[in-house]
Amino acid sequence: MSKVVAAAIAGALTLTTAGGLTVAKVMDRADVTISVDGVSQQVKVRPGSVDQALKAQGISVGSHDTVQPALATKVADGTYIAVNYGRKVNLDVDGTGSSRWTTARTVSAVLQQLNLDNPKNIVSVSRSAQIPRKGLNLAVSVARDVSVTAAGKTTKVTTPGTVADALDAAGVKYDSNDISKPGLGTALTEGMSIAWTKVDVKNSTKNVSVAYSKTSVDTSKLTKGDTKITTQGVDGVNQETWVMTYHDGKLVSQKRTAVKKVKAPVTQVTEVGTKAPAPKPSSSSSSSSSSSSSSSSGGSPVTGGTTCTASTYGANDGTAGGPTASGETFDPSQLTAASKTLPLGSSIRVTNVANGQTVTVRINDRGPYVGGRCLDLSTAAMNAIAPGEGLVTVRYSS
């Protein structure tokens, strides 16, 4: 080759390119690919480090950003440089706040990094949303495994939120009267046990008997010591309203809230004689009269035996016509009595301690079952020794 040709070739290699660079200088650059947050571009860079290559492209990185390969790595043809910018996520997990830096670019990716990607968790931002460079506020309500016991049945559920949310997840229909332990607004924790009690409050009305009172009036129409019932006592009726509280269908409390008078009781009126007794007859007539009186009153007063309180039953108390312990039908007009211990069918004499009046009765029933009482006299038997009275002190013997 001649020197002229060689010189021509050498001169050609020093020709200027369209961009003003010599061909030699252009051939001195490396082809690299730079990816910034997943967006790639191919560029030519001078020989040097990754850091120099990025700066040449106007790309700066901070302490929360990642660069691969490392900034000090030398670049060559075909080098792939990946830059991922850090993003600040202000996190609120079940009310507890914290801040995290991440190079993840989507909410879904950062949830996976934080192990909060359970599909049952409630997230304040769409899981598919992008995280901007300026960062993101993200609230997560974590699903918890809890158990709900209602009406004797335990159900396992996985849900975020509060006790109220767990009851909803378990299909429990509740209202403000019901009892939940813990309370409805309590935040769920892993493994929590929830007990729910259904509370029903109902109003109920019922009629109750009101006992009649007794009064006595003096009358000169009757001999002193004699009595006569002129107005029979009648029990009244009140309507009571009650509030009944049920827990899981069982009555746990009841409270009377109102009383309405339906029928007023009728006071029993007894006339008490004040007229002086007639003069005593002669001894013969007195003896005859005394004999007759003893026969009608049941004999002479009992002076020994047992002394106790006797009550009466049969008049207006619903027992007339019912069965007795002896099997016969109760007739309050007969001279009978009830005793807890005396033999059925036996007869005893009963004396009113206050006036000495005596009656003979037959035991045909059992009772009374009120403490301190020994006999329950039929209406006729009580009227024979204490007309119009309900309780009287007696002495009795067989």
Side-chain angles (χ1 to χ4, degrees):
M1 179 181 299
S2 68
K3 291 182 179 180
V4 175
V5 174
I9 294 174
L13 291 176
T14 61
L15 293 175
T16 304
T17 66
L21 297 175
T22 65
V23 172
K25 289 183 178 180
V26 171
M27 294 177 66
D28 194 32
R29 294 196 176 193
D31 289 323
V32 300
T33 300
I34 299 177
S35 172
V36 178
D37 280 342
V39 179
S40 300
Q41 62 176 338
Q42 288 185 332
V43 297
K44 289 183 179 292
V45 298
R46 294 177 181 275
S49 66
V50 170
D51 185 36
Q52 291 171 329
L54 292 177
K55 287 179 178 178
Q57 299 301 314
I59 300 172
S60 61
V61 294
S63 60
H64 298 294
D65 306 328
T66 64
V67 180
Q68 293 292 334
L71 292 174
T73 304
K74 296 296 183 180
V75 298
D77 274 336
T79 298
Y80 183 88
I81 303 172
V83 177
N84 289 298
Y85 287 118
R87 291 157 167 80
K88 186 178 182 180
V89 177
N90 296 314
L91 193 63
D92 182 313
V93 179
D94 289 339
T96 300
S98 63
S99 295
R100 302 290 180 89
W101 283 90
T102 180
T103 57
R105 294 188 292 275
T106 65
V107 172
S108 177
V110 77
L111 289 175
Q112 189 171 11
Q113 288 179 352
L114 297 172
N115 197 27
L116 294 173
D117 56 338
N118 187 329
K120 291 188 177 181
N121 291 347
I122 296 177
V123 184
S124 62
V125 180
S126 172
R127 293 172 187 255
S128 62
Q130 297 290 317
I131 302 176
R133 286 279 304 277
K134 66 180 180 181
L136 178 72
N137 294 326
L138 181 63
V140 181
S141 184
V142 180
R144 311 289 186 180
D145 292 326
V146 300
S147 62
V148 177
T149 300
K153 179 182 178 182
T154 299
T155 303
K156 301 283 188 179
V157 297
T158 301
T159 186
T162 64
V163 168
D165 295 312
L167 292 177
D168 288 337
V172 175
K173 305 299 182 183
Y174 56 88
D175 58 36
S176 58
N177 287 329
D178 298 336
I179 298 173
S180 176
K181 294 182 180 180
L184 294 176
T186 305
L188 298 177
T189 58
E190 191 67 23
M192 176 183 283
S193 295
I194 300 168
W196 174 81
T197 302
K198 181 175 177 57
V199 178
D200 292 312
V201 179
K202 300 178 182 179
N203 289 326
S204 174
T205 59
K206 59 183 177 180
N207 291 338
V208 296
S209 177
V210 180
Y212 63 82
S213 59
K214 297 179 180 181
T215 188
S216 60
V217 294
D218 292 340
T219 176
S220 59
K221 295 179 180 180
L222 297 176
T223 302
K224 189 174 183 179
D226 291 342
T227 58
K228 179 182 179 182
I229 297 176
T230 56
T231 302
Q232 181 64 52
V234 179
D235 288 342
V237 177
N238 283 346
Q239 184 184 75
E240 297 181 347
T241 300
W242 291 74
V243 174
M244 325 290 282
T245 302
Y246 298 84
H247 285 186
D248 288 335
K250 296 180 179 179
L251 180 65
V252 295
S253 68
Q254 52 184 331
K255 180 181 180 181
R256 187 175 64 184
T257 58
V259 178
K260 178 182 178 182
K261 183 182 292 185
V262 177
K263 184 178 73 173
V266 176
T267 301
Q268 181 167 291
V269 180
T270 302
E271 290 185 344
V272 179
T274 60
K275 183 173 66 175
K280 291 184 178 182
S282 61
S283 59
S284 60
S285 64
S286 175
S287 175
S288 173
S289 174
S290 175
S291 173
S292 174
S293 174
S294 295
S295 174
S296 65
S297 63
S300 59
V302 177
T303 57
T306 302
T307 301
C308 62
T309 300
S311 52
T312 183
Y313 74 125
N316 302 314
D317 62 6
T319 57
T324 62
S326 64
E328 64 185 76
T329 300
F330 177 48
D331 183 356
S333 67
Q334 299 297 312
L335 299 178
T336 59
S339 168
K340 290 182 288 187
T341 58
L342 295 173
L344 294 174
S346 61
S347 295
I348 60 171
R349 291 185 304 120
V350 182
T351 296
N352 182 344
V353 174
N355 60 18
Q357 294 294 317
T358 303
V359 65
T360 299
V361 296
R362 178 171 54 84
I363 304 300
N364 72 337
D365 206 354
R366 292 303 184 201
Y369 296 102
V370 177
R373 302 181 189 179
C374 63
L375 295 173
D376 221 352
L377 302 177
S378 67
T379 303
M382 179 61 82
N383 286 338
I385 61 173
E389 296 298 323
L391 294 174
V392 65
T393 302
V394 300
R395 185 181 296 115
Y396 72 87
S397 68
S398 57

